[in-house]
Amino acid sequence: MNAFDPLAATAQYLHMIDPVREARAIAYTQGSHWLLLWGWLLSVAIDLVILRSGLLVRLRDRIQRNKPRPNLAAFACVTVFILSAAVLRLPWSIYADWARERSYGLSSQDMAGWLTQNVTTTIFTSILGGLVAIAIYALMRRTGPRWWIWSSAVCAVLAFLALAVAPLLFLGVFNDTRPAPAGPVRRAIEGVAQEAGMPASKIVVFNGSKQSNNYTASVVGGPGFATIVLSDTMLTGEVDQSEIRAVVAHEIGHYKHNHLLILAAVVAVLAGAGLWLVDRMLGAVPRSRDRQSPLVQDPAAIPLAHLVFITFTLLTTP
């Protein structure tokens, strides 16, 4: 029997795709690459606007007018920064994350639904960012020049929680979930899971069609609490079991090969490198005469730190 040739099979499949659909897919992908650059330029401009406004400096000084309150100052400055940046970025987000997806037929979500989800996510992100800031700025004060090493460990834990645990905890915030119903789709998924040696008792469906028309699945969690998550787009209309098996097998492969742990480790390394760069870059900026601590320890300078970090992230994005 001839060995399976994935390159030949892929080429054969691509020849079956309608040229119009292929051109549309290429345009979407290449446009997404350009969005990385334009989004970075916009973020740089927003960081500079917030920095020049003096908003965070006034906020920091007001909080610490009578006595030092470093934790409250860190929380407030970072939370207000994230909220302010989100407001300034909103027109771009509407285009890049909502209108563009609808124009390519990848989403049917209305503006009201998208805005509600965006506002909820922004509020949650700002509060979480403020809490993380308390930890990182405390590490700056207590560990000195090596704060970025300890902070990268914090980032590793957060990355794993975000990849493996958060999807299970917060999926129900925006979507309704239910156990996958009995039927051919569930049997096909259970068959793939059994072949891979993975327990298939936890298979849930969420109403992902509310946000996206994409045909998606994922495996989240870890040993003992792994869950196969399906969008309801995989259960509506004409069901292609071979495609379902391919999508789910791909995601189970990530789980079986511990890609979540590897990704968390990579994020920790990159975060450490980015934080080290922030420390070096902000350390080179002249300090104000009335400030005794390094600029990097000033939460009002978070726009500068963010500017350095997002530039590093852009350059290290595959």
Side-chain angles (χ1 to χ4, degrees), residues 238-258:
E238 186 176 348
V239 176
D240 185 342
Q241 288 200 31
S242 63
E243 186 172 0
I244 289 175
R245 285 175 57 87
V247 171
V248 174
H250 175 92
E251 297 302 326
I252 290 177
H254 286 310
Y255 170 80
K256 292 293 291 184
H257 291 285
N258 296 313

Side-chain angles (χ1 to χ4, degrees), residues 117-293:
Q117 180 175 326
N118 181 268
V119 169
T120 304
T121 302
T122 299
I123 293 174
F124 173 79
T125 302
S126 64
I127 295 173
L128 179 61
L131 295 174
V132 172
I134 292 175
I136 291 181
Y137 281 100
L139 287 171
M140 288 182 184
R141 296 191 301 272
R142 296 184 181 184
T143 61
R146 295 185 179 181
W147 67 269
W148 57 274
I149 298 176
W150 294 97
S151 295
S152 64
V154 173
C155 291
V157 174
L158 291 175
F160 176 75
L161 293 176
L163 293 168
V165 180
L168 291 176
L169 295 178
F170 298 108
L171 182 62
V173 173
F174 301 114
N175 299 92
D176 297 324
T177 61
R178 56 187 172 88
V185 172
R186 184 179 182 104
R187 287 196 298 270
I189 295 172
E190 289 175 338
V192 174
Q194 185 176 7
E195 291 176 27
M198 174 186 172
S201 58
K202 298 180 181 179
I203 306 174
V204 300
V205 178
F206 72 101
N207 57 333
S209 57
K210 186 173 71 172
Q211 290 100 7
S212 171
N213 298 330
N214 290 341
Y215 208 54
T216 59
S218 62
V219 178
V220 296
F225 65 102
T227 303
I228 300 173
V229 181
L230 311 174
S231 172
D232 59 355
T233 54
M234 302 182 71
L235 303 176
T236 57
E238 186 176 348
V239 176
D240 185 342
Q241 288 200 31
S242 63
E243 186 172 0
I244 289 175
R245 285 175 57 87
V247 171
V248 174
H250 175 92
E251 297 302 326
I252 290 177
H254 286 310
Y255 170 80
K256 292 293 291 184
H257 291 285
N258 296 313
H259 288 173
L260 291 181
L261 291 175
I262 294 172
L263 182 56
V266 171
V267 168
V269 172
L270 290 175
L275 293 173
W276 173 84
L277 187 62
V278 168
D279 182 66
R280 294 302 180 268
M281 294 293 289
L282 267 62
V285 177
R287 290 179 291 176
S288 302
R289 294 181 180 179
D290 59 342
R291 302 295 296 173
Q292 298 299 319
S293 60

